[in-house]
Amino acid sequence: MSECPHVAVMPRPEPAPAADTCPECLADGTHPVQLRLCLSCGHVGCCDSSAGRHATGHFHSTGHPVMRTFEPGEAWRWCFVDGSIV
Ligand SMILES: [Zn+2]
Ligand SMILES: [Zn+2]
Ligand SMILES: [Zn+2]
């Protein structure tokens, strides 16, 4: 059971994905390992196993707290503020 207050204030329905890959990796010429979707704005960024860690970078630049996996067959959310699956 999640204690995360941030999930409750995410837009419903969730924002449409802004891209189908990490645009910052595309610009940098790096390769995303896995993709994450920001549940505040639909930003798509790469995971912390990727060179750019752009999903985490997005949190640091915007403060958007919750993302979910953007990988087919996976279903989980991560809150950067709580530092846990939510
Ligand atoms: Zn939270
Ligand atoms: Zn990236
Ligand atoms: Zn965002």
Side-chain angles (χ1 to χ4, degrees):
M1 193 59 193
S2 168
E3 303 291 326
C4 171
H6 308 101
V7 163
V9 298
M10 289 296 109
R12 302 280 196 286
E14 71 179 31
D20 57 10
T21 188
C22 176
E24 291 153 277
C25 279
L26 212 57
D28 291 351
T30 53
H31 189 73
V33 176
Q34 290 197 331
L35 295 170
R36 308 292 181 238
L37 175 70
C38 173
L39 293 182
S40 295
C41 71
H43 172 272
V44 176
C46 54
C47 70
D48 283 354
S49 301
S50 309
R53 301 183 177 188
H54 291 125
T56 296
H58 179 70
F59 164 65
H60 287 301
S61 61
T62 63
H64 294 166
V66 185
M67 56 83 154
R68 71 160 170 84
T69 177
F70 196 46
E71 294 298 312
E74 290 188 14
W76 52 265
R77 292 173 302 204
W78 176 264
C79 177
F80 287 104
V81 176
D82 293 292
S84 62
I85 302 272
V86 291

